[in-house]
Amino acid sequence: MSELATQEVSAGGVAPRGDYARVSAAIHYISDNWRAQPPLDDIAAHVGLSPFHFQRLFKRWAGISPKEFLQALTLDHAREMLKGSANLLDTALELGMSGPARLHDLFVDHEAMTPGDYKRRGAGLQMTYGFHSSPFGSALVMITRHGVAGLAFADSEDDRPGVLADMTARWPCAVYEHDPARTAPCAARIFDSRRWKPEDPLKLVLIGTDFEVRVWEALLKLPFGHAATYSDIAAHVCTPKAARAVGSAVGRNPISFVVPCHRVLRKDGGLGGYHWGVTRKQAIIGWEAGRV
DNA sequence: ATTTGGTGTTGTG
DNA sequence: CACAACACCAAAT
């Protein structure tokens, strides 16, 4: 009803030419920087507008919001990751079955807990944990003396307690000790790709049910920069019908990022979900795209 | 575009 | 033992 009024206000700056330049600059900026998933504030600042103005201007010209545009670019790239991976996955998985059970870009050596250990709900386990800054927000790292057992993400200081609770609930009988000094080197290494060395693999401990561990092991074989669908994974560990079961298992992946659950996408081309927020999944995909 | 009916695994009562 | 919940999927509206 007040459309006329708003039109008049924006007509104050009689320069659609300038508007076009700004939108165009924004599109280029987003296309160049989508890997870093820049927040609205950054993009707005780059074209010299307040976030509020910019968001409205962009939507008027492009038909979609800056955020939607960013998501579309990410999705495009995710689908590219999927392209050649169909056969690649089969061979990687088959080969990895008989050969050494390890290895992707972040060289990893893992051992799974026995089902018996799993049933004890972590009893007898000593977990040392700490929060550390990462490219994807504050990262909670949990280690046992056998290796890394947990990696989770928090958006802010405020949801750290919730994230910690989420993780400790998975092994309720374990003993937890807060000691960031001990987990810091581990965190530093995980997020610095220059420190990924085959001769000194990162040790992981996979604590889960038999089925879950099989799924997570499959994820470890997905090559950097490639992706698979939930049903691809299902076909390998069980039957293609089990895509949904795989989804749940992937969702319970306790060592996110290291076990690359962000490389699993929906068959219909969608991104699928992410336990720590789809935005984070996008960010990690972008981070990888920047290092192929 | 949305809805529906089909899936396997897991946690709960 | 049954049942509901789930980071899914394909086919039918």
Side-chain angles (χ1 to χ4, degrees), chain A residues 149-229:
Chain A
L151 178 39
F153 292 104
D155 287 324
S156 64
E157 186 103 17
D158 286 354
D159 52 70
R160 283 187 190 183
V163 168
L164 183 59
D166 180 317
M167 292 304 282
T168 55
R170 299 166 189 234
W171 314 292
C173 302
V175 179
Y176 294 91
E177 176 199 18
H178 180 59
D179 189 353
R182 287 219 354 87
T183 48
C186 186
R189 171 180 175 177
I190 289 173
F191 294 109
D192 181 1
S193 53
R194 291 167 309 177
R195 296 209 223 171
W196 299 350
K197 297 263 162 47
E199 59 270 18
D200 180 25
L202 182 72
K203 291 230 158 138
L204 301 187
V205 202
L206 265 28
I207 311 172
T209 67
D210 189 57
F211 179 77
E212 287 168 342
V213 170
R214 288 214 311 278
V215 170
W216 302 337
E217 284 173 337
L219 299 192
L220 282 172
K221 305 199 179 94
L222 295 178
F224 191 93
H226 294 262
T229 68

Side-chain angles (χ1 to χ4, degrees), chain A residues 5-6 28 32 49-50 64-65 94 115 146 152 163 168 174 188 191 193 199 206 216 227 254 261 280 282 287 289:
Chain A
T6 58
H28 281 100
D32 290 342
L49 288 177
S50 79
I64 58 175
S65 70
E94 295 309 324
H146 291 111
V163 168
T168 55
F191 294 109
S193 53
E199 59 270 18
L206 265 28
W216 302 337
C261 54
R280 186 124 33 209
Q282 292 170 174
W287 184 87

Side-chain angles (χ1 to χ4, degrees), chain A residues 45-121:
Chain A
H46 184 259
V47 301
L49 288 177
S50 79
F52 177 75
H53 269 344
F54 169 66
Q55 141 89 23
R56 300 216 338 158
L57 176 71
F58 190 95
K59 185 151 191 164
R60 184 163 56 232
W61 280 72
I64 58 175
S65 70
K67 183 172 195 127
E68 287 169 323
F69 182 66
L70 181 59
Q71 286 170 342
L73 285 181
T74 312
L75 200 52
D76 258 17
H77 188 270
R79 282 194 272 255
E80 279 301 309
M81 294 172 67
L82 214 42
K83 258 201 72 185
S85 298
N87 287 328
L88 196 145
L89 176 71
D90 287 346
T91 49
L93 291 180
E94 295 309 324
L95 224 56
M97 256 349 194
S98 46
R102 61 165 130 288
L103 225 66
H104 66 313
D105 37 283
L106 197 174
F107 295 92
V108 146
D109 201 358
H110 73 274
E111 67 186 59
M113 306 232 66
T114 70
D117 285 335
Y118 173 74
K119 281 207 204 59
R120 298 168 64 206
R121 316 195 72 194

